[in-house]
Each structure stands twice: as C-alpha cells, then as structure tokens.
Amino acid sequence: MTTDNASALRALHVPGTPLILPNVWDAASARAVREAGFPAVATSSAAVAHVLGYDDGEHTPVGEMMAAIARVARAVEGVPVTADVERGYGLAPAELVERLAEAGAAGCNLEDSLPGRGEMVDPGEQTEFLAEVRAAAGDALVINARVDLYLYGKAPRQEAVARGRRYLEAGADCVYPILLADEDEIRALVSELGAPVNVYFGERTPGIGRLAELGVARISFGSGLHEASHARTRELIAAIKDGRGPF
C-alpha cells in the first residue's frame, strides 16, 4: 500500500482548523467536491447504498460498495479519498485493508455498533478489530473510529471518552462521536481525548466556524447532501408530472 495519500489525509486533521468533508455518493459528486477546492473526498455509505438501490446497514454487497469507492477514487485521482465502510462488511481486517487499497482509498470510517441492529459492539472486541486493521495497513490508511453511543440517545461522556481512548491506543487516527451536537460536550470530549475529533454536521450542530473554535479536527456531512439533492430531484420530477417545467 502507498502511504502518500494517507500521509496527506492524516496531515489535514488539525484541531481548530478542521478538514471539511462534504460526503459524496458517486464520481460526479466527487468531482464537484474536488472542483470546489476541497483537499480530500469522503464517501457516505448510506448515500452510496441508496444510489445503488440498497438500504443502509451493510445491505450493499461488499463488491458493489468497493467498486463505487474505486469509481470515486478514479474520478479525483491525486486527491485523498476516505471511504465509509460501516463495520467492514464482514471482512477480516487484512482483507478489508486489501480491498480498500485496491479501491484507492487512503482512509476509512469504521463503526462500533452492529449495522441495522442498534447494538454497540463490546469495546474490547472493537479495539482488537481496529488494532488488526492498523497492523495490516501500517501507515497507509487513516482510520476514523466511530463512537456510535450518541446514535442511541444521550450517552455518558466518560463512556464515549473511554471508547475513544481505547480506539486511539489501537491505532485510530481520529475519533468520530457521530450525532454529538452539544457545544459543551464537544468541547469537553475534544479536551479529554487530546486527539483529532470528527463531528457530524447536522441541523442541531454548531456552525463550522464554531466547531473550529471548539477544537474539532474534521467535519463530515454524512448522507445529508445526498438527501437534499434527492429531495430536489423529487421536486423536479413532481413538477414534470404536474405538467410544469422543472426549471
């Protein structure tokens, strides 16, 4: 595996000067992100799944997901691509790393809950999994370790911090407490982890500038842009059905 793109991607994770990632779902959206001047491209597993005709939650066959990631990487050659791969689609760590390398990915998101089941993985099991991914990848993969506690309601910060610390010790580069949106909690978690933290940008999230002030190192948009784009497409189609011009 080459380390060039991974090194470039890793260097973009600067607390206080966050890497902003408008997540993409195909080659065209990836090119739009590149052309806008963003230094890296990230996929959204949910958005890719919906484009391919599947539900989120590892219902997409791994071959189709990896092929979609590869198309994105080819479309933005030279720009680091980080891929959302849920919990790895059942692949062993070494095979997951190999498939990501073949697809041209320099980084990946890995979840610590069971896709589609709403159950957290034992932190020891997830730590071991991440350590095996790191061992297989060396420095050639930026690992963004998701902490899914906030997906399932208000989480005790200490539990999120404890998981995050274990994942960092296992070799993760960044911790992603997805759906954490409270300013005070974000600030405290960033401080207690002392490492790059990724925040999901949603309706309740502080603005990008404020997240930078809180010390966030990475901001993701998940499937939000695809959902907004698809909603607009549905409006255009409805206009045509009503006999109106869509434009």
Side-chain angles (χ1 to χ4, degrees):
M1 294 178 72
T2 177
T3 62
D4 291 350
N5 274 351
S7 296
L9 178 61
R10 190 172 286 114
L12 293 169
H13 290 69
V14 180
T17 309
L19 168 63
I20 300 172
L21 295 168
N23 298 70
V24 307
W25 51 94
D26 61 9
S29 55
R31 287 195 186 102
V33 168
R34 181 196 62 191
E35 290 164 2
F38 290 93
V41 170
T43 67
S44 159
S45 63
V48 172
H50 295 157
V51 166
L52 295 176
Y54 300 99
D55 291 331
D56 191 24
E58 293 201 344
H59 292 288
T60 307
V62 64
E64 291 194 45
M65 181 59 71
M66 292 298 174
I69 294 166
R71 287 192 292 273
V72 166
R74 285 196 301 270
V76 295
E77 187 175 359
V79 174
V81 171
T82 179
D84 183 357
V85 290
E86 307 193 60
R87 199 159 182 274
Y89 302 96
L91 299 176
E95 185 178 0
L96 174 62
V97 169
E98 182 180 359
R99 298 289 289 272
L100 285 167
E102 290 172 350
C108 69
N109 287 1
L110 290 169
E111 304 171 5
D112 66 349
S113 64
L114 298 174
R117 291 171 55 180
E119 300 174 18
M120 296 297 295
V121 175
D122 176 81
E125 180 182 344
Q126 184 70 359
T127 298
E128 182 178 348
F129 175 64
L130 293 173
E132 291 179 5
V133 171
R134 172 56 68 212
D139 292 332
L141 192 70
V142 176
I143 300 173
N144 191 32
R146 256 184 42 177
V147 174
D148 287 358
L149 292 167
Y150 299 96
L151 277 174
Y152 308 116
K154 187 173 177 58
R157 185 197 319 141
Q158 290 311 311
E159 185 177 351
V161 169
R163 280 182 177 261
R165 285 176 175 165
R166 293 187 70 168
Y167 301 164
L168 290 165
E169 290 169 1
D173 297 280
C174 185
V175 175
Y176 185 10
I178 190 168
L179 294 195
L180 174 61
D182 181 82
E183 278 197 22
D184 292 338
E185 288 296 305
I186 292 171
R187 181 192 297 106
L189 189 139
V190 167
S191 175
E192 292 184 37
L193 284 177
V197 171
N198 184 175
V199 167
Y200 168 83
F201 193 94
E203 292 182 0
R204 298 184 300 110
T205 317
I208 291 173
R210 183 58 180 150
L211 289 174
E213 293 173 354
L214 296 173
V216 170
R218 173 169 167 163
I219 299 171
S220 302
F221 287 76
S223 61
L225 293 179
H226 177 257
E227 291 168 5
S229 175
H230 190 60
R232 178 58 178 154
T233 299
R234 293 172 75 94
E235 291 176 359
L236 296 173
I237 292 169
I240 296 169
K241 181 66 170 62
D242 292 342
R244 295 180 284 117
F247 310 119

